[in-house]
Amino acid sequence: MGVLVILHWRIINDSLIINGTKSMFTSLDYPAQRLWLLFLLFLWAILLFGGFIFGSSDDKEGRRMPRWTRLSSSAVLVLAAWSLFLFTRDGPVAIYALLIALGMTFGFLGDLFIAGVLVQSGGKIGGIASFALGHICYITAILWLSGTLGLTAQGYMLGALLLWWLIALAGWYFIVYRGAAVTRMHWLVLPYALLLATTAGAATALTLQEPAFWPLALGAALFLLSDMILGGEWFNDLQLPLIHDIIWLTYGPGQMLIVISIGIANSAAWS
């Protein structure tokens, strides 16, 4: 667990510097804005990792994290994303920030569906639909940013997309499909997995041209990994110790990295 916490803060520290010039936070106009975002990131980490460390183990549920800490950590990231949009709304990456904030909002809506807060049954369909809408926002944001920054090399994009589509297809086959009593839901999950892989591919293509965006690419990859594990648990009886905590310890940091990419984009646009 300590390794995860150290890695989290290493990621934040590394993301503060872009090519040795402007940092993610100092590209913002006011010190109060930087302090507010740092506070939100600290609060997010306390809720997510603290919920795991101090939560009580429930082997039947496959988790230690209480529901309120999981959902609260997700809500904090939504607040961070919208805060970054407000701070950058008059700058060159306002559209990117808006789309990422919308994607985070759809993601939180998906969390509420899956947690059974909004509906007592049918939460899986609502969750998948909400996350899909969120990833459409992410993909649109990344493509818009790539065009705005002039990072549009088609070779990188095609290669990254093909790689991640193959990874998603293999993951779906081995984790969700193989050995399962196949239903329509199994086939529904396949295009959803390919959609998530498209986010990862677009983010990877951007990162290959501008390495400062590596947190975005890693975040998209972690999101795909978390949902592959969730799909295996939902549709193929995948069993791992504390499986739901594993899902949140990949999903949560993945979303956080996507959020902080707004600051990275803002710095890259001004540099």
Side-chain angles (χ1 to χ4, degrees), residues 47-69:
L47 288 167
L48 185 70
F49 298 115
F52 178 80
I53 294 171
F54 298 109
S56 59
S57 179
D58 189 336
D59 292 332
K60 183 179 294 186
E61 290 292 328
R63 64 167 55 95
R64 292 175 59 89
M65 296 181 197
R67 183 171 72 170
W68 74 268
T69 63

Side-chain angles (χ1 to χ4, degrees), residues 174-193:
F174 288 107
I175 299 174
V176 177
Y177 178 86
R178 192 176 71 165
V182 178
T183 66
R184 284 181 294 180
M185 284 298 296
H186 289 78
W187 292 107
L188 177 65
V189 171
L190 176 56
Y192 173 72

Side-chain angles (χ1 to χ4, degrees), residues 192-253:
Y192 173 72
L194 293 174
L195 180 67
L196 269 58
T198 302
T199 306
T204 298
L206 179 61
T207 302
L208 289 172
Q209 298 170 83
E210 175 47 79
F213 287 102
W214 68 265
L216 174 63
L218 178 57
L222 287 173
F223 199 122
L224 176 61
L225 174 61
S226 72
D227 271 24
M228 281 293 179
I229 298 171
L230 180 61
E233 193 264 341
W234 275 358
F235 304 117
N236 204 7
D237 197 29
L238 176 65
Q239 297 187 14
L240 297 170
L242 299 176
I243 186 170
H244 293 288
D245 287 335
I246 294 173
I247 291 167
W248 271 87
L249 290 172
T250 48
Y251 164 73

Side-chain angles (χ1 to χ4, degrees), residues 91-102:
V93 297
I95 293 177
Y96 180 80
L98 175 61
L99 288 167
I100 295 297
L102 286 172

Side-chain angles (χ1 to χ4, degrees), residues 15-228:
S15 69
L16 297 180
I17 299 174
I18 298 181
N19 294 335
T21 56
K22 287 187 175 182
S23 77
M24 182 180 73
F25 292 120
T26 56
S27 67
L28 300 174
D29 292 333
Y30 303 105
Q33 295 174 345
R34 303 164 207 157
L35 290 174
W36 172 245
L37 289 172
L38 283 171
F39 166 74
L40 291 179
L41 289 175
F42 271 107
L43 180 59
W44 167 80
I46 290 170
L47 288 167
L48 185 70
F49 298 115
F52 178 80
I53 294 171
F54 298 109
S56 59
S57 179
D58 189 336
D59 292 332
K60 183 179 294 186
E61 290 292 328
R63 64 167 55 95
R64 292 175 59 89
M65 296 181 197
R67 183 171 72 170
W68 74 268
T69 63
R70 302 193 312 269
L71 294 180
S72 296
S73 71
S74 186
V76 168
L77 289 182
V78 175
L79 180 57
W82 282 109
S83 295
L84 277 165
F85 166 67
L86 289 175
F87 298 158
T88 61
R89 67 186 184 279
D90 295 324
V93 297
I95 293 177
Y96 180 80
L98 175 61
L99 288 167
I100 295 297
L102 286 172
M104 279 300 307
T105 303
F106 281 121
F108 180 56
L109 183 64
D111 295 334
L112 295 176
F113 271 116
I114 292 173
V117 174
L118 298 179
V119 293
Q120 294 300 315
S121 61
K124 292 178 182 178
I125 293 293
I128 291 173
S130 297
F131 287 128
L133 290 172
H135 275 268
I136 290 171
C137 291
Y138 292 158
I139 293 165
T140 305
I142 296 169
L143 294 178
W144 178 88
L145 183 64
S146 298
T148 298
L149 298 178
L151 304 174
T152 57
Q154 292 187 359
Y156 285 122
M157 181 63 73
L158 291 175
L161 286 175
L162 286 174
L163 174 63
W164 280 106
W165 285 339
L166 288 173
I167 291 172
L169 182 60
W172 171 83
Y173 177 78
F174 288 107
I175 299 174
V176 177
Y177 178 86
R178 192 176 71 165
V182 178
T183 66
R184 284 181 294 180
M185 284 298 296
H186 289 78
W187 292 107
L188 177 65
V189 171
L190 176 56
Y192 173 72
L194 293 174
L195 180 67
L196 269 58
T198 302
T199 306
T204 298
L206 179 61
T207 302
L208 289 172
Q209 298 170 83
E210 175 47 79
F213 287 102
W214 68 265
L216 174 63
L218 178 57
L222 287 173
F223 199 122
L224 176 61
L225 174 61
S226 72
D227 271 24
M228 281 293 179

